Amino acid sequence: MASVTSAPQRDPIDTSKPHPARVYDWLLGGKDNYAVDQEVGEKLPAEARANAARNRAFMHRSAAWLVRQGVDQFLDVGTGIPTAPNLHQIVQRITPTARIVYADNDPIVLRHAEALLVSSPEGATDYLHADVREPEAIIEQARKVLDFDRPIALSLIALMHFLRDEEDPYGITRTLVGALAQGSFLVLSHGTADQHPELREETEKAYRKGAIALRMRTRAEVEPFFEGLELVAPGLVPAAEWYQEQPAPAQERSGFYVGVARVR
């Protein structure tokens, strides 16, 4: 089963303005971006590409570990442009019956979702054209595919640093987590300059010039996203330090804090 919720007609692809999902696609070496996105990416520090790759590798490791713990439902908000292997490909290789719902607000992601986010025959994938700033709508639509009475892994990868403080990113996260059953998990990665303080100004300037909101946060500012949850080992750490299984990733500086936490 695979389905796609269509984007409203009022949301055409705007190639005149950069978009975080397309900039991230460029950083990962993808081709689904435009000149305006490339312009932002090229102004970022050279380390940005390596940080994007480390963040992506964390997603791969955490998804594989979760499905091996028996989690067979995933809600990936802010999925971005599909880059193989996608989350559903990772988890359905291990559990073919797994069900995955992707959500993003960029119409170009919708265009690619229909062709690329294809489930295994035994499982299901769905794509929602939705904005994280409307968490209740995401939950309502995701209920059509996912069973919220059973554990779900909520994935917020490289997303919340694009929400300003006044948009209440902590409250949005609590709303999404609050809908999950006991035994569910929050998987989150968040941009930071803690390990790259010398690159903060250059990074913020590049996004600001592209009119993309960016709010990198310190470790102390990322911790509240996990309030009331049980962080699994190794806790809240730089992206290259989170792993459960060998081989261990190379221990390098990272532009992301990451964590996986259990809903109690």
Side-chain angles (χ1 to χ4, degrees):
M1 170 185 162
S3 61
V4 177
T5 302
S6 297
Q9 293 298 315
R10 59 184 171 80
D11 284 345
I13 295 173
D14 187 347
T15 61
S16 68
K17 299 177 181 178
H19 189 282
R22 301 196 302 263
V23 174
Y24 190 60
D25 176 72
W26 183 87
L27 290 172
L28 290 171
K31 305 297 183 184
D32 300 309
N33 48 75
Y34 299 101
V36 290
D37 309 303
Q38 297 163 20
E39 185 177 349
V40 173
E42 288 167 353
K43 286 182 170 60
L44 289 170
E47 188 67 17
R49 281 184 178 267
N51 278 326
R54 293 178 193 118
N55 179 66
R56 186 78 180 174
F58 158 71
M59 185 276 282
H60 292 173
R61 293 193 299 272
S62 59
W65 179 76
L66 283 165
V67 75
R68 290 190 180 104
Q69 305 311 300
V71 179
D72 62 358
Q73 300 189 105
F74 291 76
L75 175 56
D76 183 14
V77 183
T79 182
I81 294 168
T83 302
N86 293 295
L87 189 149
H88 74 280
Q89 293 169 318
I90 294 168
V91 302
Q92 288 182 344
R93 285 172 188 167
I94 301 168
T95 302
T97 55
R99 304 172 78 84
I100 298 92
V101 172
Y102 294 102
D104 204 288
N105 68 343
D106 186 356
I108 197 173
V109 179
L110 174 72
R111 299 274 183 91
H112 291 279
E114 188 168 21
L116 299 177
L117 302 182
V118 179
S119 172
S120 66
E122 303 92 335
T125 63
D126 194 15
Y127 175 82
L128 310 177
H129 183 78
D131 195 309
V132 69
R133 297 170 186 83
E134 299 176 353
E136 294 88 353
I138 291 175
I139 295 166
E140 180 181 357
Q141 293 180 70
R143 287 186 187 280
K144 298 174 183 177
V145 176
L146 305 179
D147 181 357
F148 277 72
D149 291 328
R150 297 177 52 244
I152 294 171
L154 168 65
S155 179
L156 302 177
I157 299 292
L159 174 63
M160 304 312 282
H161 50 251
F162 292 116
L163 294 187
R164 300 182 299 273
D165 292 343
E166 56 267 30
E167 294 177 295
D168 193 17
Y170 303 119
I172 289 171
T173 302
R174 283 192 291 272
T175 297
L176 290 167
V177 170
L180 304 179
Q182 184 177 10
S184 295
F185 289 86
L186 169 65
V187 184
L188 181 141
S189 70
H190 194 294
T192 184
D194 281 6
Q195 291 198 330
H196 298 285
E198 74 281 7
L199 304 180
R200 173 186 283 275
E201 184 177 351
E202 187 179 354
T203 301
E204 292 178 340
K205 182 179 179 181
Y207 278 103
R208 188 165 56 247
K209 188 168 183 179
I212 297 175
L214 178 67
R215 173 66 166 89
M216 290 189 289
R217 294 182 170 91
T218 64
R219 189 183 190 283
E221 291 173 319
V222 176
E223 286 178 341
F225 286 107
F226 297 97
E227 182 179 345
L229 305 177
E230 179 187 354
L231 275 163
V232 302
L236 179 60
V237 295
E241 297 180 19
W242 197 99
Y243 71 100
Q244 297 287 337
E245 302 160 336
Q246 297 293 341
Q251 298 302 293
E252 304 169 305
R253 292 195 306 169
S254 172
F256 289 89
Y257 280 119
V258 306
V260 177
R262 185 179 289 104
V263 178
R264 297 180 291 192

